C-alpha cells in the first residue's frame, strides 16, 4: 500500500519537473545574453577608439570624432545606453541600465562603469592618444 501511494505521488509530480527545469534554463540564457551584451559593448568601444581622431569625455557621454568628420556618441538615455552617429539614429547598446558613469583617470585614460537593474556591473579602463573633457 505504501509503495502504491509513493508511486502515485511520483506520477503526479514528475510532469511538473520539466517546466521547472525549462524555467531554470531560460534564466541561465538571460544571464548569458547579458554577459554577451556587455562583451559586445566593450568591443564596440575599442572599435570606436581605434577609428577616432579625438575622443571627448563627459561624466555620462562619450563622443568619438573620426578623420572623415563623423561623430559617434554613446550616452545613457531612458534606462539604456544608446549609440548615435552624426546626431541621428538610436542604436541600443545596453538595456536596463541603472547607472552609467565615465571617469577620467589621466590625460589619456578613462573608466566606464555601468550598473544594470539586475545588479550586474561592468567596469573597464580605456585609453586613447587624444582625449578632451567637455
Amino acid at each position: 500500500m505504501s509503495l502504491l501511494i509513493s508511486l502515485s505521488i511520483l506520477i503526479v509530480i514528475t510532469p511538473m519537473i520539466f517546466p521547472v527545469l525549462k524555467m531554470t534554463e531560460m534564466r541561465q540564457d538571460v544571464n548569458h545574453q547579458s554577459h554577451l551584451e556587455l562583451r559586445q559593448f566593450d568591443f564596440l568601444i575599442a572599435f570606436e577608439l581605434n577609428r577616432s581622431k579625438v575622443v571627448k569625455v563627459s561624466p555620462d557621454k562619450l563622443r568619438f570624432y573620426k578623420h572623415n568628420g563623423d561623430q559617434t556618441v554613446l550616452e545613457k538615455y531612458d534606462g539604456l545606453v544608446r549609440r548615435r552617429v552624426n546626431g541621428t539614429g538610436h542604436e541600443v547598446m545596453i538595456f536596463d541600465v541603472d547607472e552609467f558613469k565615465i571617469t577620467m583617470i589621466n590625460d589619456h585614460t578613462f573608466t566606464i562603469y555601468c550598473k544594470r537593474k539586475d545588479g550586474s556591473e561592468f567596469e573597464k579602463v580605456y585609453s586613447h592618444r587624444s582625449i578632451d573633457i567637455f
Side-chain angles (χ1 to χ4, degrees):
M1 189 66 168
S2 156
L3 181 63
L4 195 57
I5 292 173
S6 298
L7 282 173
S8 63
I9 291 173
L10 184 63
I11 289 171
V12 169
I13 292 177
T14 302
M16 292 183 221
I17 291 174
F18 295 111
V20 171
L21 291 176
K22 189 69 170 173
M23 287 176 23
T24 305
E25 284 179 21
M26 288 172 50
R27 182 168 171 88
Q28 289 173 351
D29 288 344
V30 168
N31 290 337
H32 183 67
Q33 188 74 18
S34 173
H35 178 69
L36 288 176
E37 184 180 41
L38 293 175
R39 283 184 56 198
Q40 182 179 3
F41 180 70
D42 177 39
F43 175 78
L44 174 80
I45 292 173
F47 180 74
E48 292 290 349
L49 285 170
N50 287 333
R51 293 179 29 193
S52 297
K53 177 174 63 171
V54 176
V55 177
K56 292 192 175 187
V57 176
S58 72
D60 62 346
K61 192 179 292 188
L62 274 176
R63 293 182 190 268
F64 302 96
Y65 294 91
K66 300 189 182 48
H67 295 284
N68 65 0
D70 286 348
Q71 174 189 352
T72 302
V73 177
L74 292 176
E75 61 189 347
K76 183 178 179 200
Y77 178 79
D78 284 345
L80 48 89
V81 174
R82 72 177 178 179
R83 178 178 180 258
R84 301 180 75 204
V85 178
N86 295 328
T88 62
H90 179 81
E91 182 180 357
V92 178
M93 303 309 303
I94 305 175
F95 289 95
D96 300 327
V97 175
D98 193 29
E99 197 174 340
F100 183 72
K101 291 190 293 189
I102 303 163
T103 308
M104 290 295 298
I105 295 174
N106 60 38
D107 291 343
H108 301 287
T109 310
F110 61 93
T111 300
I112 293 180
Y113 171 78
C114 179
K115 182 177 180 183
R116 300 185 70 160
K117 291 180 181 173
D118 65 1
S120 62
E121 297 176 328
F122 169 82
E123 186 170 19
K124 183 106 186 225
V125 176
Y126 299 93
S127 63
H128 191 269
R129 63 190 171 284
S130 179
I131 297 177
D132 292 333
I133 300 172
F134 72 98

